[in-house]
Amino acid sequence: LQCHRAHVLTRSSSPACSHRHWCIRSRYLDWVRSSGTMSRRQILLWFTLFSVFFSLTLSSVLVVLNLASSQVSSRLAGTSSGCLYVAYTFSALFLGPAVGLRLGAKRATSFGLSLYLFYLGSFLLAALRAPKEGTAVWASCITGALLGGLGSGVLWPAQGAYFSACASQYAAAGDTSVGAASALFAGIFAGCYLASQVLLQLTGSQLLAHVSDVAVFATYCGIALVAIVLMAFTRTVPEPPKARVARPWYFDALAAARLARQDRRALLLAPTSIGFGLSSSMSVYYVNKAVITEFLGKENVGYLSAVAVATATLMSPVW
């Protein structure tokens, strides 16, 4: 309606502006017409499959990361972690929005998950060359970490966009508010994500007690590969059209700074983010290697990681 009003107001004064508003309105009407092609049950089904494949890929990465961090040297583990977070920060600020706008939510998610395969492959190469950590292993791990970080910065915003599109479509297809639909889809995604983490972490410890490290890493690489391929066959849920506005290249990168300046309450999120970054790195790259592997054995890394995830799941309703 806003586009229509803008078109009426400007059609007599600016043909170029009129044409732009008319194109945006046409895209909006096309999106509205396409939204009726999927029922609520179909939207729920495709989002559930999307969540399952997404969760299996991310959980495979976390399992391999937990197991590999207990075997490689502290120097390589720390350097790899630093490269991952640096690439993640760069990608989230500059690459993620552009890729999401270009490819759409579902394809951008698939692209980000595909980059994780290189991250998994670097750990597989490290396991094949263990206990040696020559130039090839270092180059593989650093390259894999950089690509994994770039993928993280793309897939999480894209996952959020797909989530929002599904919730909006689900609400529009029936007598449900967007808030209620968002709560439903959030529960589905969280359930799939946490359940897959617990399941694959426990399975990883079980496998590690009977087969070699290489076989375990190859198994989870295969799981991630199958999940990414299946993700490509999930249906794309129509997203509302977005008008392309000419902005400086750094505009999206400064979005958090603008929010903090406009609403100081946003700064309250900073301690949580800093604490998460420190605690997650310490848990993966120090606790797993210097505590669990040293005193309990590497086959127990998956069990204790599953306990951590299960504890977070049980404490979520309390918080």
Side-chain angles (χ1 to χ4, degrees), residues 61-62 65-67 69-70 77-78 80-82 84-86 88 116 119 193 197 201 271-289 292 301 305 308-309:
V61 173
L62 291 174
L65 179 61
N66 285 329
L67 296 176
S69 62
S70 64
S80 175
S81 176
L84 175 72
Y85 281 107
V86 168
Y88 178 35
Y116 264 127
Y119 193 34
Y193 188 62
Q197 278 203 49
Q201 293 283 9
T272 303
S273 300
I274 295 172
F276 172 77
L278 293 174
S279 61
S280 61
S281 296
M282 180 178 179
S283 174
V284 173
Y285 294 102
Y286 176 76
V287 175
N288 287 346
K289 181 177 181 63
I292 299 177
V301 171
S305 298
V309 176

Side-chain angles (χ1 to χ4, degrees), residues 7-291:
H7 167 67
V8 172
L9 292 174
T10 59
R11 62 184 177 182
S12 60
S13 58
S14 175
C17 185
S18 171
H19 177 71
R20 182 174 69 253
H21 285 297
W22 181 257
C23 291
I24 296 174
R25 180 170 178 265
S26 299
R27 292 172 59 198
Y28 174 76
L29 293 176
D30 292 340
W31 172 69
V32 171
R33 295 188 192 100
S34 65
S35 65
T37 60
M38 295 181 66
S39 65
R40 287 160 61 93
R41 181 177 298 180
Q42 289 175 320
I43 296 171
L44 193 64
L45 171 63
W46 288 117
F47 180 79
T48 302
L49 292 175
F50 175 92
S51 301
V52 169
F53 300 145
F54 183 97
S55 301
L56 286 175
T57 305
L58 266 292
S59 297
S60 298
V61 173
L62 291 174
V63 171
V64 173
L65 179 61
N66 285 329
L67 296 176
S69 62
S70 64
Q71 302 175 39
V72 299
S73 66
S74 299
R75 183 183 176 189
L76 177 56
T79 304
S80 175
S81 176
C83 292
L84 175 72
Y85 281 107
V86 168
Y88 178 35
T89 302
F90 171 82
S91 178
L93 292 177
F94 301 106
L95 186 62
V99 174
L101 186 62
R102 180 73 175 178
L103 299 181
K106 200 215 63 169
R107 287 190 293 176
T109 303
S110 298
F111 173 75
L113 292 176
S114 299
L115 292 180
Y116 264 127
L117 285 177
F118 295 96
Y119 193 34
L120 282 170
S122 67
F123 292 122
L124 179 59
L125 177 61
L128 287 170
R129 301 293 295 270
K132 299 180 180 179
E133 289 185 359
T135 304
V137 173
W138 270 82
S140 173
C141 289
I142 299 303
T143 303
L146 291 174
L147 292 175
L150 294 177
S152 296
V154 171
L155 71 90
W156 282 111
Q159 183 272 338
Y162 190 86
F163 174 95
S164 299
C166 288
S168 300
Q169 291 285 317
Y170 187 84
D175 189 15
T176 305
S177 65
V178 176
S182 297
L184 172 63
F185 286 109
I188 293 173
F189 180 80
C192 294
Y193 188 62
L194 296 174
S196 64
Q197 278 203 49
V198 173
L199 178 61
L200 294 186
Q201 293 283 9
L202 294 175
T203 305
S205 286
Q206 284 287 335
L207 290 175
L208 203 58
H210 298 89
V211 298
S212 65
D213 299 347
V214 175
V216 174
F217 291 177
T219 298
Y220 283 103
C221 286
I223 292 175
L225 177 60
V226 171
I228 292 172
V229 171
L230 293 176
M231 172 74 81
F233 292 97
T234 58
R235 185 168 178 179
T236 300
V237 176
E239 301 176 63
K242 301 176 183 177
R244 295 180 180 270
V245 181
R247 291 172 176 168
W249 61 271
Y250 55 82
F251 183 84
D252 292 326
L254 298 178
R258 290 195 301 271
L259 177 62
R261 184 180 60 185
Q262 296 168 3
D263 189 346
R264 294 300 178 87
R265 293 175 297 178
L267 295 175
L268 298 175
L269 297 173
T272 303
S273 300
I274 295 172
F276 172 77
L278 293 174
S279 61
S280 61
S281 296
M282 180 178 179
S283 174
V284 173
Y285 294 102
Y286 176 76
V287 175
N288 287 346
K289 181 177 181 63
V291 179

